[in-house]
Amino acid sequence: GSSRRFSFRRSSRLFTSSSDVATNVTTAFVRPSAPVANGASTPLQEARINIEDDHPIPTAAGGFTHTASSRAKISAANKGKEPWNKGRTRSPEERARISAGVKARNRLKLEEKCAAMNITVEEFEKQKAAEKKKKRAEKNKRRTANGGYTPTEETKKKISDILKAKWR
């Protein structure tokens, strides 16, 4: 496709909402500086951003977040562009590396959770297995002959309350 170049013009104006409360709003007008490939211009795009929220916020890593207006500009500049990695296939080695990293991160989270609960990972897995077994047994008890399930007392009460409210 053709490459689009955008020029930005910012203006501040007083914006009145439906509740008649006046708030300052920065409006970013985005207009292509050159026509699109077929000769037609794209329509004017406008993004309204609240000025109070339009300031960089420090991050934990020591940097700053993008402002709402800068995010709008980046978004407008990237519209219509194809990502560099679109259609790229990952090699089996790369997929294995990603999988190992995800598994290691998930294991670390599990270990932290278990440490907070003051139990070992093996004890946690045993507890989970016992809970699953108990739930499965309860569900099997409620199973009917033709494959359905009888609702629990809690479910029956919820249905009853909803129907009573509906017919009042």
Side-chain angles (χ1 to χ4, degrees):
S2 69
S3 65
R4 294 181 184 167
R5 297 178 67 160
F6 292 92
S7 61
F8 294 93
R9 182 175 43 131
R10 289 173 54 138
S11 67
S12 287
R13 62 189 169 106
L14 203 61
F15 176 76
T16 308
S17 65
S18 58
S19 62
D20 293 328
V21 176
T23 56
N24 254 337
V25 171
T26 298
T27 306
F29 295 99
V30 182
R31 214 189 278 270
S33 58
V36 184
N38 62 4
S41 299
T42 59
L44 177 68
Q45 298 171 349
E46 183 177 352
R48 288 197 176 104
I49 298 126
N50 193 335
I51 287 177
E52 288 84 33
D53 299 336
D54 199 26
H55 62 279
I57 299 166
T59 63
F64 287 89
T65 60
H66 283 289
T67 63
S69 59
S70 69
R71 283 198 311 273
K73 289 178 186 179
I74 292 166
S75 175
N78 287 327
K79 290 281 187 264
K81 290 185 180 176
E82 193 171 287
W84 66 271
N85 59 352
K86 181 180 177 185
R88 179 175 171 264
T89 56
R90 297 187 186 273
S91 67
E93 295 83 23
E94 193 175 3
R95 291 168 68 171
R97 210 171 51 241
I98 292 168
S99 175
V102 169
K103 287 177 182 173
R105 188 168 44 250
N106 288 344
R107 180 70 183 188
L108 186 64
K109 284 182 183 178
L110 176 65
E111 289 171 354
E112 288 172 358
K113 182 178 179 178
C114 290
M117 293 168 62
N118 214 14
I119 58 173
T120 66
V121 174
E122 290 76 22
E123 290 172 340
F124 179 79
E125 288 170 349
K126 279 183 183 176
Q127 282 180 1
K128 282 290 183 189
E131 288 172 17
K132 266 187 176 177
K133 190 174 181 181
K134 185 180 173 186
K135 275 189 176 181
R136 201 176 312 113
E138 286 174 5
K139 191 171 183 180
N140 285 339
K141 268 192 234 174
R142 294 185 289 111
R143 190 173 226 151
T144 61
N146 59 354
Y149 293 94
T150 55
T152 61
E153 292 303 317
E154 182 183 352
T155 305
K156 287 180 186 176
K157 183 170 178 3
K158 284 181 183 177
I159 293 169
S160 174
D161 292 344
I162 290 167
L163 288 175
K164 284 176 185 173
K166 184 179 179 181
W167 292 105
R168 281 186 189 155

